Amino acid sequence: MIRSLLIANRGEIACRVIRTARRLGIRTVAVHSDADARALHVREADESVHVGPSPARESYLLGERIIAAAKETGAEAIHPGYGFLSENADFAEAVIESGLIWVGPKPQSIRAMGLKDAAKKLMAEAGVPVTPGYLGEEQAPERLQAEADAIGYPVLIKAVAGGGGKGMRKVNASGEFAEMLASCKREAAASFGDDRVLIEKYIERPRHIEVQVFGDAHGNVVHLFERDCSLQRRHQKVIEEAPAPGMDEATRAAVCEAAVKAARAVDYVGAGTIEFIADGSQGLRADRIWFMEMNTRLQVEHPVTEEITGEDLVEWQLRVAAGETLPKRQDELAIQGHAIEARLYAEDPVNQFLPSTGRLDHFDLPRTLRIETGVEEGDRISPWYDPMIAKLVSHGPSRAWAIDELVGALEAVEVWPVRTNAAFLARAAADADFRAGEVDTGFIPSKLESLLPDPAPSEGVWNMAAAAMLAVDFGEDGEGDPWSALAGFRANAAEAARISLSHAGTTRTIEADAERPLEGVATASGGSVLVFSDGQAFAFTLPGAAGSSGAGDALDGAVQSPMPGRVIAVDVSAGTKVERGQKLVTLEAMKMEHSLTAPFAGIVTELNVAEGAQVSEGALLVRIEKGEGE
């Protein structure tokens, strides 16, 4: 077995690998950038090495520094996690050539599956069914447009070197193709250094089915059954589950057999995922499921597979990398119950899902189910990396049981002042169609309005805040400070009373009634009350207290950068007349493109950025003034 391991990653996955390594008695080495100097994965590892500034391209993506750190600390092996260098064949090769153990597939397998067009050709030759589309080398926009027109709309443009939902655009009509192609190429170049694309027929009711495969250096390959990852937003998975709802045994056998065949075709060693796209319009059928791509690494959603099989996939990775055979044969693996995972992101669903950064002053996740995270209370959510802060994983004897556990946990999430998508996820998991297994990749877009939480507090939340304020003795001697006394308060006042409170510019006088049924948690300090309810957080103050002026919600027309980033497109100029919701500026930050739009109809009176500019959080980019009659 490996004795010392460097984890070439950060955050949640680094903590996950460290946990298994510690159980196996393996010494761990963490690497970190400037932004992660005091991160949880650094604190948990036995040793850590600084590898560069905060931008990933200057730290986590510098393979030579990672290898040097391993040599410097005496690590025997490198585990890449997922993302960053995990599917970089050149890095894998360099690790092996340096005399270190690479915890991953062979470099040639990564290369074979790394380019989507070549991978599809290889799979077709191996007898694995693939989706119709254009995989050609010619990349002229005119040729790509012609191919898309011939396939028939809608089509999907995908980056050849893509992954993680990036470099993908759905095109509904020929007239949209040129703009979508330019955007896709731009994002692909920024994310992968390769702007080449392929085109696929877009399936109207697609389901995203993937199969976990594992191979060893002795020629053994097994599958660990399938996962359904159909609940996605902007092609990014948000809820995943195993096994796939509605998958019968015959279809499961056919899909899993195809996945093993795909892995054998590239002499695969280690953990990998074969991704399929299924036409769910007539249920899951073996003749309506096609190969999409292979991820030559551990997946974000691997915990649901671990839960239903009882296996530790990181341990499997380490044992296979050390030259051992697979821990189990195919006939020794079986599905046990149902598991669902929700990805908790630091983002604000009611504000176009913009990422939310800052210090986690309050961070409390329910411990009734499996939690995978790379942060603790007091840590900071950085603008430099992916906004996922935790994964909540439920597992139970049935799908209904797992859903109930997950919804309850999401509704109990307490995070402040960083915003999260907990309430959004809870609504998605509680949706009647989701419960019925009626899922496809269009689920979230089609239901988005009903899944978005109300940004305004409910009557129950107002009452809880008022009851919390009244639950302490406002003594003049200062003893029994009411604000600190309320920490962890569960509203249960003895009698009704009236109190005035302010929230986001609105002041109301509330009759707090402890007999009214309340759900949630209230905490207080410094003259304010926080209420956590159904996955949301609301801040209240007494009128006149600091922060209660209400100016924060005024739409003054100032469009500011929500985070540090690079301006990749400017769609207006000074004097441009714009409509409410019209795109003004596109910002690249946290590995994604974010469109900033006009808050109302008016005129652009101030434009402070140009394409290519680097901007800081809070920088004024554009100012809009209402035009006459607006």
Side-chain angles (χ1 to χ4, degrees):
M1 174 55 76
I2 294 165
R3 292 171 296 177
S4 56
L5 177 70
L6 182 141
I7 300 100
N9 218 295
R10 63 175 302 280
E12 167 265 326
I13 183 56
C15 293
R16 165 72 188 88
V17 174
I18 289 169
R19 187 171 69 244
T20 289
R22 181 180 295 121
R23 181 173 60 80
L24 296 175
I26 300 172
R27 182 175 69 90
T28 56
V29 180
V31 293
H32 67 86
S33 67
D34 288 347
D36 283 339
R38 290 175 292 278
L40 182 59
H41 75 280
V42 174
R43 303 196 298 269
E44 291 197 341
D46 296 309
E47 192 173 347
S48 65
V49 180
H50 175 252
V51 290
S54 300
R57 63 181 177 276
E58 299 175 30
S59 51
Y60 294 110
L61 290 174
L62 295 180
E64 66 276 11
R65 291 193 188 176
I66 302 295
I67 292 172
K71 294 283 192 178
E72 173 190 330
T73 57
E76 290 181 293
I78 292 180
H79 192 302
Y82 43 70
F84 291 149
L85 295 168
S86 62
E87 294 182 282
N88 186 311
D90 292 340
F91 176 63
E93 208 162 59
V95 170
I96 295 168
E97 289 176 353
S98 70
L100 298 169
I101 297 171
W102 167 247
V103 185
K106 299 174 183 179
Q108 57 265 38
S109 299
I110 299 175
R111 288 194 178 97
M113 288 301 202
L115 298 178
K116 290 183 172 60
D117 53 352
K120 288 197 170 186
K121 292 174 183 175
L122 179 63
M123 291 299 100
E125 292 169 1
V128 179
V130 300
T131 48
Y134 174 70
L135 310 175
E137 294 292 331
E138 188 177 340
Q139 292 284 303
E142 298 80 13
R143 173 64 185 276
L144 294 172
Q145 174 91 59
E147 292 289 346
D149 291 346
I151 293 169
Y153 295 91
V155 299
L156 190 65
I157 306 174
K158 297 173 67 173
V160 165
K166 298 171 184 65
M168 298 175 66
R169 297 291 186 277
K170 178 189 176 186
V171 186
N172 292 305
S174 182
E176 301 174 2
F177 188 84
E179 180 183 355
M180 291 293 193
L181 176 64
S183 176
C184 185
K185 280 180 165 289
R186 195 164 54 228
E187 186 171 279
S191 298
F192 315 112
D194 186 344
D195 73 348
R196 290 175 300 155
V197 300
L198 58 85
I199 302 170
E200 290 179 350
K201 174 65 179 173
Y202 187 88
I203 298 167
E204 290 291 359
R205 287 214 59 196
R207 286 181 61 178
H208 187 134
I209 306 294
E210 60 187 34
V211 177
Q212 178 73 59
V213 294
F214 234 104
D216 63 26
H218 306 277
N220 302 303
V221 180
V222 300
H223 68 80
L224 289 92
F225 310 104
E226 83 283 354
R227 300 183 287 254
D228 191 310
C229 306
S230 298
L231 261 65
Q232 304 176 9
R233 194 187 71 81
R234 291 178 61 182
H235 303 294
Q236 180 67 57
K237 303 167 188 174
V238 293
I239 293 180
E240 302 107 334
E241 59 183 309
M247 177 76 78
D248 61 48
E249 288 302 323
T251 303
R252 174 172 295 120
V255 173
C256 291
E257 181 183 343
V260 169
K261 186 184 296 184
R264 290 190 182 281
V266 292
D267 192 21
Y268 200 77
V269 173
T273 300
I274 311 297
E275 301 199 1
F276 296 89
I277 189 166
D279 181 349
S281 59
Q282 300 177 40
L284 292 177
R285 291 172 29 187
D287 63 346
R288 304 292 290 172
I289 301 178
W290 303 278
F291 171 86
M292 189 164 55
E293 62 184 344
M294 181 177 191
N295 288 307
T296 52
R297 53 173 167 79
L298 197 66
Q299 291 280 90
V300 176
E301 57 272 24
H302 76 274
V304 294
T305 295
E306 293 185 324
E307 292 297 312
I308 66 163
T309 60
E311 303 299 324
D312 182 332
L313 297 190
V314 174
E315 179 178 347
W316 278 45
Q317 285 186 297
L318 296 172
R319 292 194 179 281
V320 166
E324 298 181 24
T325 58
L326 293 176
K328 287 189 176 180
R329 301 186 309 270
Q330 190 67 68
D331 60 4
E332 296 176 303
L333 295 165
I335 295 174
Q336 304 161 18
H338 200 96
I340 309 179
E341 172 183 294
R343 301 189 188 189
L344 188 70
Y345 284 104
E347 63 185 10
D348 189 357
V350 300
N351 188 21
Q352 302 179 61
F353 290 90
L354 285 176
S356 180
T357 59
R359 187 176 185 273
L360 292 165
D361 292 337
H362 184 99
F363 184 70
D364 189 13
L365 303 182
R367 299 296 167 177
T368 56
L369 73 178
R370 177 173 174 175
I371 299 290
E372 298 285 349
T373 186
V375 294
E376 292 179 326
E377 188 168 280
D379 290 345
R380 297 190 67 86
I381 300 301
S382 165
W384 297 106
Y385 314 113
D386 188 274
M388 188 179 75
I389 57 176
K391 300 182 301 196
L392 283 69
V393 189
S394 64
H395 177 234
S398 68
R399 186 169 184 268
W401 195 100
I403 289 174
D404 288 342
E405 183 184 47
L406 181 64
V407 171
L410 288 166
E411 291 179 342
V413 165
E414 300 176 22
V415 181
W416 182 264
V418 172
R419 301 290 184 176
T420 78
N421 63 339
F424 170 79
L425 293 170
R427 289 183 173 217
D431 183 90
D433 287 337
F434 179 77
R435 285 183 174 276
E438 294 295 324
V439 295
D440 57 54
T441 58
F443 179 92
I444 287 177
S446 67
K447 292 175 173 281
L448 187 59
E449 188 173 340
S450 65
L451 299 180
L452 290 175
D454 191 338
S458 66
E459 286 299 313
V461 169
W462 278 100
N463 192 66
M464 186 181 301
M469 284 289 194
L470 291 168
V472 294
D473 180 15
F474 289 79
E476 294 183 2
D477 58 4
E479 291 185 7
D481 174 15
W483 314 120
S484 59
L486 275 174
F489 167 77
R490 264 63 177 176
N492 191 23
E495 57 187 21
R498 295 172 65 81
I499 188 169
S500 293
L501 292 173
S502 293
H503 168 78
T506 299
T507 299
R508 291 180 54 187
T509 299
I510 304 297
E511 183 173 289
D513 183 358
E515 298 304 316
R516 198 179 304 173
L518 303 174
E519 292 183 8
V521 178
T523 66
S525 64
S528 63
V529 166
L530 280 175
V531 176
F532 298 100
S533 179
D534 294 335
Q536 290 180 273
F538 302 93
F540 296 85
T541 60
L542 295 169
S548 64
S549 65
D553 272 14
L555 288 176
D556 60 1
V559 179
Q560 299 174 306
S561 176
M563 70 206 83
R566 183 172 68 92
V567 175
I568 59 174
V570 178
D571 296 284
V572 294
S573 56
T576 300
K577 185 174 182 180
V578 297
E579 298 299 320
R580 182 179 184 275
Q582 183 174 333
K583 186 164 64 173
L584 306 172
V585 172
T586 302
L587 189 69
E588 182 184 65
M590 296 184 90
K591 301 167 66 178
M592 296 289 286
E593 290 188 8
H594 308 282
S595 295
L596 306 182
T597 60
F600 46 69
I603 305 293
V604 176
T605 58
E606 195 175 336
L607 180 65
N608 298 322
V609 290
E611 186 174 323
Q614 292 287 339
V615 296
S616 58
E617 182 176 359
L620 177 62
L621 308 181
V622 183
R623 188 180 298 279
I624 310 293
E625 288 188 5
K626 289 186 177 180
E628 235 179 90
E630 300 290 349

